[in-house]
Amino acid sequence: MKSKRASFEDALEALGVTVSSTAESDLEAAVTEAVTEPAVGIALDKTAGDEAFSLTGTPVTVDPTPVALREATTGVTGAELGIGDYGSLVLSMTEEASELLSLFVERHVAILHEEDIQPDMDAAVAELDERFNETGGSAIIATGPSATADMGALVKGAHGPKEVHVIIVEEGA
């Protein structure tokens, strides 16, 4: 039986999503390699050791202006959960409007901690139910690059990013 991470990676690859993994100590380099400039992002709330990971040492503009967002090719956000059987990402909405950074760019780079991968939708919904009952939060569940065939041929990027790259931050690495 596959691990939840292996199932998640297989589902992502089937969707055409690029997947990479890194140790937390190498996350800055992994983000730098994954983005296509110009890039925008928001501060990430997971911690690296005792400090929150900062995008400062990357080519990512944090808390961008509307003009920077409009001109950006890549948006960098954290992902709250990964859903193993679908390859979906749970993207929490924040006061910084993180959903804009994941939806209005050509390339979305999502940073997901390995321990936040759930095996299936039922487990993810149970986890979200518990979190959102406490916080009153909300989220988007995004599955792969945006695609539509409303008008005939399949078109990527019509309602969101054409490309998605997930960086999995490995446990204990």
Side-chain angles (χ1 to χ4, degrees):
M1 187 163 162
K2 286 185 183 179
S3 70
K4 60 185 179 179
R5 177 176 169 174
S7 294
F8 181 63
E9 288 181 355
D10 287 349
L12 289 170
E13 289 172 9
L15 294 165
V17 173
T18 304
V19 183
S20 61
S21 59
T22 187
E24 206 152 16
S25 60
D26 296 326
L27 186 54
E28 184 177 295
V31 169
T32 299
E33 185 176 317
V35 301
T36 301
E37 294 183 57
V40 295
I42 60 165
L44 305 172
D45 60 0
K46 286 283 188 170
T47 58
D50 294 329
E51 298 180 26
F53 173 72
S54 169
L55 294 170
T56 304
T58 70
V60 178
T61 299
V62 178
D63 298 326
T65 64
V67 171
L69 176 59
R70 188 171 43 253
E71 294 174 353
T73 299
T74 303
V76 179
T77 70
E80 189 161 344
L81 296 176
I83 304 173
D85 56 356
Y86 289 98
S88 299
L89 297 168
V90 176
L91 307 171
S92 291
M93 293 189 222
T94 65
E95 291 178 11
E96 295 84 12
S98 60
E99 65 276 10
L100 300 178
L101 301 177
S102 65
L103 295 173
F104 295 145
V105 290
E106 291 180 29
R107 180 176 180 81
H108 176 215
V109 174
I111 299 168
L112 175 69
H113 282 69
E114 184 175 7
E115 65 266 17
D116 293 328
I117 298 172
Q118 298 294 320
D120 53 39
M121 188 65 77
D122 289 341
V125 169
E127 176 71 23
L128 291 172
D129 181 52
E130 184 177 317
R131 290 183 192 187
F132 291 161
N133 278 333
E134 291 175 11
T135 65
S138 61
I140 296 168
I141 298 177
T143 305
S146 169
T148 185
D150 315 13
M151 305 301 283
L154 183 66
V155 176
K156 291 196 174 192
H159 306 294
K162 290 180 184 177
E163 299 175 33
V164 178
H165 184 123
V166 176
I167 300 172
I168 298 174
V169 180
E170 297 171 333
E171 291 181 42

